[in-house]
Amino acid sequence: MQSRPAVIAAVSGGSDSTALLLLLKLFLDHAAPSTRLHAVTVDHGLRPEAAAEAQAVARFSAERGIDHRIMTWSGPKPGTGLAAAAREARYDLLARAARDAGTDVILTAHTADDQAETVLMRRRRGEGPGLAGMAPETLFDGSVWILRPLLGIRRETLRTFLRDEAVGWVDDPSNTDRRSERVRARLELAGPPQVSGAAAIDGLLTLARQGATRRRHLGRDAADLIRRHVRKAGPGLMRIDAALFRPAIDDAAVHTLRALLAVVGGTPHLPDEGRVRALCLRLAAPPCRATLSRALVAARRDGVWLCREERGLPEPQPARDGLIWDGRFRISATAGAAAAVIAPASAGGRQVENDDGVPASLARTAKAGLPIISSGGSPEIGHVEQRGVSGSTQAAPAGWTATCVLAPWARFLPCFDLDLAQALADAVGAPPVPVAPSAGHNVTPA
Ligand SMILES: Nc1ncnc2c1ncn2[C@@H]1O[C@H](COP(=O)(O)OP(=O)(O)OP(=O)(O)O)[C@@H](O)[C@H]1O
């Protein structure tokens, strides 16, 4: 990892993260003494004991001379999907702690056991050939890296280390709650060794490694296809060379179209592989027009065109800093920006000019799906596509910008998909993907 002025260790007080904290302290004292180590504990406010547990981590950190901060999830708690919401909130709080500490690195204590559970769960959910486990490096919210340095280490090894150091830890009761899919996977893997146990875990870890390699290769091939065959043809409109779909439709071409559909449609998941494979076949024999994943795709003699379909665009709403609009644009406001409304261009009934060489109806549909930010009820509204990219028509009201985001990777971008994400970002005009902390090292993380 390139040296950082500071790093954040995410410490719940359980065995894994307590071991992470101690190991990091030892490592940094020895190898990078100028790097500041900050431990952060998130109190989700969901269990009465959580506050005392966070205080225990604070005391432990103080004894070791480590800076420690407690971050509390104070927002409203949803009635359903509480675990997922808590996870989102946890990463938001950890990212905020990282920014406050002037770093872009958060380390978590996910272990080989967590990795095996993840692969087991994903396999059960029917994830196909791209199945991979957790990534050793993941870009969060486009700006902060989550590193998982213990992914190759078994939990029991960490506990032995803690016992040798005479350090205790907290056992979170939710880790034994059988309603959780992860807990059920953990119990299954902890079964009798002759049935599951170590052999099963090793098998799942091998699958994780193979899946990561496959995903990386597929992503590289798709990135190459995007660079050669995909370009932005106008505001909100992409053009794909028909050559992508001929003569044979291979896995990389299918993966490319899945990624493009999700990005152009603003959906968090790639569309179903089988459906996209079938669509590729139809696109190879124009004319063809279809919608999938909220995107409109039209194969004509002059190429294949792709834009957001006009159905299901967001209703006009107050613009706010940090809003992800339609899964496709991150809205930002500088301090003091006047209150504004954001709406799809189609809602304004605005005429659009045609661009040379672009089919008029597609140019219209594409522009209708772009956001318009207006302030003070003025009809002179600013049509923003993205910062600093030609093709934007007028400026948004002062202080407001809309930046393209890649919907499937807007929150979590695993390192296996970095090449693909960079090629997509270049193609659609999203900001460049930051360089991974391990870049330039000759050892690929586990
Ligand atoms: N309350 C917390 N405060 C700080 N860090 C935490 C907290 N809970 C979990 N973490 C960090 O996240 C890691 C994974 O924790 P855990 O396995 O409980 O989370 P998960 O929700 O199952 O995983 P993921 O966050 O990847 O979905 C921990 O090892 C720790 O580094």
Side-chain angles (χ1 to χ4, degrees):
M1 187 175 84
Q2 283 147 14
S3 69
R4 297 303 210 258
V7 293
I8 299 290
V11 185
S12 62
S15 58
D16 309 346
S17 55
T18 304
L20 171 75
L21 185 62
L22 275 186
L23 290 167
L24 267 176
K25 173 82 174 128
L26 288 170
F27 172 75
L28 292 174
D29 282 352
H30 173 73
S34 63
T35 299
R36 296 186 315 275
L37 173 60
H38 300 276
V40 175
T41 305
V42 175
D43 179 355
H44 300 96
L46 298 175
R47 291 183 296 114
E49 320 78 65
E53 290 167 10
Q55 289 299 341
V57 181
R59 278 194 303 279
F60 176 76
S61 303
E63 282 163 20
R64 306 275 164 159
I66 301 167
D67 175 79
H68 179 263
R69 179 172 180 187
I70 298 172
M71 311 263 318
T72 306
W73 182 28
S74 50
K77 313 284 188 283
T80 55
L82 185 59
R87 176 178 187 265
E88 294 283 322
R90 175 163 75 243
Y91 282 111
D92 278 334
L93 290 168
L94 290 168
R96 195 197 308 161
R99 284 183 205 110
D100 291 350
T103 182
D104 62 352
V105 169
I106 298 166
L107 295 107
T108 63
H110 294 95
T111 62
D113 301 65
D114 295 320
Q115 180 71 305
E117 291 155 20
T118 300
V119 175
L120 184 63
M121 290 187 298
R122 290 184 182 172
R123 213 161 59 152
R124 294 265 155 85
R125 283 185 218 142
E127 275 190 36
L131 179 141
M134 284 180 277
E137 296 177 300
T138 296
L139 183 67
F140 176 72
D141 255 0
S143 58
V144 177
W145 292 96
I146 299 166
L147 307 189
R148 302 183 174 102
L150 304 182
L151 264 191
I153 300 185
R154 294 292 311 272
R155 173 166 297 129
E156 199 42 46
T157 307
L158 297 173
R159 291 188 169 181
T160 303
F161 164 68
L162 290 178
R163 286 187 203 104
D164 288 350
E165 296 285 316
V167 170
W169 64 83
V170 177
D171 282 316
D172 177 347
S174 55
N175 285 339
T176 53
D177 183 346
R178 293 191 73 103
R179 282 170 300 180
S180 144
E181 186 190 8
R182 180 171 289 280
V183 169
R184 290 197 300 276
R186 184 168 305 164
L187 292 174
E188 189 176 326
L189 290 172
Q194 64 277 24
V195 180
S196 55
I201 289 184
D202 286 347
L204 291 164
L205 295 178
T206 303
L207 275 182
R209 274 191 298 275
Q210 291 168 343
T213 305
R214 216 170 18 243
R215 265 270 283 283
R216 212 182 274 275
H217 288 162
L218 193 58
R220 268 183 204 159
D221 292 347
D224 186 45
L225 288 177
I226 290 169
R227 292 200 175 96
R228 284 194 288 137
H229 295 300
V230 180
R231 69 175 170 80
K232 189 164 177 167
L237 187 64
M238 306 300 298
R239 185 184 174 284
I240 310 173
D241 295 335
L244 183 74
F245 304 102
R246 296 192 205 114
I249 293 156
D250 64 4
D251 288 350
V254 175
H255 198 51
T256 301
L257 187 61
R258 292 177 77 200
L260 281 167
L261 285 164
V263 168
V264 168
T267 57
H269 301 291
L270 305 196
D272 175 72
E273 195 194 335
R275 292 184 69 186
V276 175
R277 198 171 282 279
L279 178 60
C280 285
L281 287 170
R282 289 177 56 205
L283 295 174
C288 152
R289 200 177 163 94
T291 52
L292 186 57
S293 194
R294 309 200 314 182
L296 167 69
V297 54
R300 302 158 35 110
R301 253 189 237 124
D302 52 1
V304 176
W305 304 83
L306 193 61
C307 65
R308 171 72 165 93
E309 71 168 319
E310 245 184 297
R311 265 185 324 172
L313 286 162
E315 292 293 320
Q317 60 187 292
R320 62 176 168 76
D321 185 44
L323 172 74
I324 300 288
W325 188 82
D326 197 41
R328 296 180 294 140
F329 293 91
R330 188 188 306 276
I331 309 303
S332 313
T334 52
V341 169
I342 183 162
S346 56
R350 196 161 156 272
Q351 290 297 309
V352 292
E353 292 151 27
N354 195 14
D355 293 305
D356 287 345
V358 173
S361 69
L362 289 167
R364 225 178 355 260
T365 304
K367 284 188 178 174
L370 293 176
I372 293 215
I373 301 179
S374 60
S375 63
S378 156
E380 290 307 311
I381 47 187
H383 181 173
V384 281
E385 191 181 0
Q386 65 251 348
R387 195 170 20 205
V389 172
S390 62
S392 0
T393 47
Q394 298 166 33
W400 291 96
T401 46
T403 311
C404 273
V405 293
L406 310 176
W409 298 283
R411 286 285 273 179
F412 296 94
L413 167 54
C415 57
F416 332 117
D417 294 332
L418 283 175
D419 285 333
L420 174 56
Q422 185 58 66
L424 286 162
D426 292 344
V428 301
V433 176
V435 175
S438 70
H441 288 233
N442 56 5
V443 178
T444 311

